Amino acid sequence: MSMHFIWLNAFLGHARRNGVRLRKPRRQPLEPALLYEVEAAGWGRVAATARRFGMRWADTWAVETEEGFLIQSLLEYRGDYLLLRTGQPLQGAVLESQAPAFPAALRVERAMRDLFGIDFSGEVDRRRWIRHQAWTAQCHPLRKEFPAHGSGESPVPPDLDYPFLQARGTGVVEIPVGPVHAGIIEPGHFRFQAVGEQILNLEERLGYLHRGVEKLAEGRDAISLARLAGRVSGDTTVAHAWAACQAMERAAGVQVPDRALFLRALLAERERIANHLGDIGAVCNDVGFAFAMSQFGRLRELWLRMNGRLFGHRLLMDRVVPGGVTIAPDQDAIDDLRQEAHWLRGELETLVRIVENTPSLQDRLIGTGILDRETALELGTLGYVARASGVRHDLRAESPCAPYDRLRVTVPVHETGDVADRLRVRADEINASLDLILQILNQLPEGPERAGWTPPPAGAEGLGLLEGWRGEVVAYVRFGGEGKVDRYHPRDPSVLNWPALERLVRGNIVPDFPVCNKSVNGSYAGHDL
Amino acid sequence: MLRILRQIHHTGLLSESPTELEAVGREARRIIDERYSGSLAIRQVDAGSCNACELEIHALNNPYYAIERFGFHFVASPRHADILLVTGPVTRHMEAALLRTWDAVPAPKWLVAAGDCAACGGEFGASYACRGGLSGLLPVDASIPGCPPAPADLLRGLLSLIRRG
């Protein structure tokens, strides 16, 4: 712990001078985060202090207990996580908003108002967010008293009266797009205000994929929760299942065998590579370079077939389970994986050279959809989107969980923040992940792939934190009686990257929106839960 | 440009033959040629999927499956579609959009539930947020199980649909 939290006293001093008292409880159940209790009246001020201090906001979520709500905000500074917790009564809960300090918190607070009925004062935007027309403003689905089956009224009317920001003036047009899009993609609504082809403003309207994940988690056992977590966002099944298992294992004090940890990282890096391969092709295809789509599609397909052959599932669903993994690669499999890594590196070299040296393609990618570093920091942008804008943030390097603490992690960073750089970062990351895979295979410890599961006592809680392919994935789990889950809250990195898309398309032309969107590739399902 | 051409030449034709998949595709091609003037258009709608089904439906277009050579085409508008391919447990927030999309598909038309969620609710089932699948909302002509169904399963599911006519 020596190098960790060396900044903490300075921060506590700032908070004290701003009149916020922080208290460190003796029990620290949410490691690696350090838990501090904050008086409710200081909720807004502590965020303002944290912002001035240079901290990054990662998430805010509520837990309903018999005594009242526990509301917690997760903040990060230099790779250390601080978890601030405050209490509120179950009726008439009102807190100061943290969104004036951290703009990305706004939608999360709006969702908490919709789902829990917790109000926030001092918010610039008090519109509903996750709620459409399936329940009324008086109902709060994540409250314990709200029945999981709901009211059952059907069909639910379309959500027509959401007050979008309007632009007025000569030549201004409004373009509504979605929720059903013109491709094989997830649903969401985009409202453009444009002059001619130029985008003045984009407003996202999400929530169409709200499946009630957090409600469905209640009452599940550990294995069943891991299955659900693996379907928060199907392209991130490994990272979400791992984060949920990490949280549950920490809550239960279950030691995961070394071999299982290395195998989890193997799966997570395979997931990263599969998604990057697919998206590099798709980004190129969105500006008409179909060659890259077929070539990268070919590599992705072979990669997924290897998943299917060696691990029994092309997308690796349900391979990460509480206590370990369900895969047990033998020596032949490990040889195949090693060979495959060398093969892909060769293929990639040829294809990346073509992508980089095709002027008609680069002409469409360079300078398109720029997210500058300042905006990326202001919004708390994550993953390759941040790293293409010069923000070097990667949990595998800065706050590594096992086994990354025993691996050499390269973090590619580019500076321009345009579509071309986001593509470059992702191509570089494939190589970095291949390097990690080879390290994992070389260092793979012997031993069991799975430890037994011991359900924790009621009230036990844990936090999962790791770098998924889109960026930081957070999971919080609290157990109730009989080893059943009382609260599960996952935070997909997309929650922080969707706002970045709104900013980076401004001033671009409407026909470049698809390539901008694909270069960020936020998860709709992971956001909407 | 030369590099691109060299790479294309070097990659060659990947579409698979004479695997079992190829046989499935050829039968689909024969039926589509005989009964549907050579093409069937599919419009896909995500009604609550976790995106895994979309990834595998996408894969049908990669050079290994290249589903278009069998006569199936993915189209952008429901107005151009013969088949509506739906994924997800039908979230209540997508109900209206899904019904409108179905109405926009001209008859005669088929409705296919792709994946466990659309077929029966899958991991999500029925709740305040989901209908628990397509049946009960719209007449389902075929279901393709799987979480998610692999591309070959999707192709087999589509073949069994058109075989019945």
Side-chain angles (χ1 to χ4, degrees), chain B:
Chain B
M1 196 64 206
L2 263 179
R3 275 209 198 95
I4 297 178
L5 294 173
R6 198 179 305 129
Q7 177 70 15
I8 291 171
H9 176 73
H10 171 77
T11 304
L13 200 62
L14 299 173
S15 313
E16 289 173 309
S17 60
T19 59
E20 184 240 339
L21 181 88
E22 188 68 17
V24 172
R26 276 179 198 206
E27 196 187 340
R29 170 91 264 176
R30 188 182 55 76
I31 296 171
I32 291 172
D33 281 346
E34 266 177 32
R35 300 187 205 159
Y36 306 105
S37 310
S39 94
L40 272 175
I42 304 173
R43 169 69 237 213
Q44 191 267 341
V45 173
D46 173 344
S49 155
C50 71
N51 199 30
C53 286
E54 280 62 39
L55 293 176
E56 293 296 55
I57 294 169
H58 251 295
L60 286 171
N61 281 321
N62 79 32
Y64 285 91
Y65 305 99
I67 192 178
E68 293 216 351
R69 71 203 157 106
F70 302 132
F72 292 105
H73 304 270
F74 285 94
V75 291
S77 170
R79 303 248 183 244
H80 304 156
D82 305 299
I83 298 171
L84 196 67
L85 186 70
V86 179
T87 63
V90 188
T91 59
R92 292 185 177 270
H93 290 175
M94 273 303 287
E95 219 175 325
L98 175 65
L99 291 172
R100 286 176 171 197
T101 308
W102 175 244
D103 283 344
V105 181
K109 56 187 172 181
W110 282 314
L111 183 69
V112 178
D116 289 346
C117 288
C120 65
E123 195 64 28
F124 301 100
S127 72
Y128 79 93
C130 296
R131 280 201 53 105
L134 265 177
S135 59
L137 184 68
L138 288 169
V140 180
D141 295 295
S143 291
I144 306 173
C147 187
D153 301 330
L154 288 163
L155 188 59
R156 273 190 284 270
L158 289 171
L159 173 64
S160 74
L161 170 80
I162 60 169
R163 227 188 228 150
R164 281 182 282 140

Side-chain angles (χ1 to χ4, degrees), chain A residues 194-319:
Chain A
V195 173
E197 288 208 314
Q198 199 179 25
I199 299 169
L200 291 178
N201 193 59
L202 159 66
E203 195 175 351
E204 296 154 357
R205 175 78 180 119
L206 301 176
Y208 289 92
L209 290 180
H210 180 67
R211 294 153 295 164
V213 167
E214 290 165 286
K215 190 80 174 179
L216 289 174
E218 293 175 10
R220 289 190 176 223
D221 64 17
I223 289 176
S224 168
L225 184 74
R227 273 187 67 85
L228 181 67
R231 285 154 184 81
V232 163
S233 177
D235 49 35
T236 314
T237 181
V238 174
H240 274 294
W242 187 359
C245 285
Q246 215 177 48
M248 291 192 284
E249 287 150 3
R250 284 171 177 159
V254 167
Q255 281 295 325
V256 181
D258 262 4
R259 186 176 175 83
L261 291 170
F262 274 76
L263 289 173
R264 282 178 177 181
L266 175 72
L267 297 175
E269 297 310 318
R270 291 191 70 81
E271 178 166 274
R272 189 182 321 277
I273 290 173
N275 281 296
H276 284 354
L277 286 173
D279 282 356
I280 292 174
V283 166
C284 293
N285 197 53
D286 273 348
V287 291
F289 193 55
F291 164 82
M293 179 77 163
S294 2
Q295 291 288 338
F296 282 93
R298 168 177 70 90
L299 301 183
R300 178 180 157 90
E301 177 65 22
L302 292 173
W303 194 254
L304 297 189
R305 285 182 180 190
M306 185 68 103
N307 283 346
R309 184 165 74 78
L310 296 186
F311 306 127
H313 195 284
R314 284 163 54 92
L315 302 179
L316 305 172
M317 278 181 163
D318 308 321
R319 307 301 105 165

Side-chain angles (χ1 to χ4, degrees), chain A residues 499-511:
Chain A
L501 177 65
E502 287 183 339
R503 299 283 279 270
L504 65 85
V505 298
R506 280 186 201 161
N508 283 259
I509 56 172
V510 176

Side-chain angles (χ1 to χ4, degrees), chain A residues 122-143:
Chain A
E123 263 181 350
V124 291
D125 185 347
R126 297 180 53 79
R127 291 173 298 170
R128 57 200 162 81
W129 179 240
I130 287 294
R131 182 169 70 82
H132 288 203
Q133 301 294 331
W135 66 88
T136 65
Q138 287 72 44
C139 293
H140 306 295
L142 290 188
R143 293 291 300 265

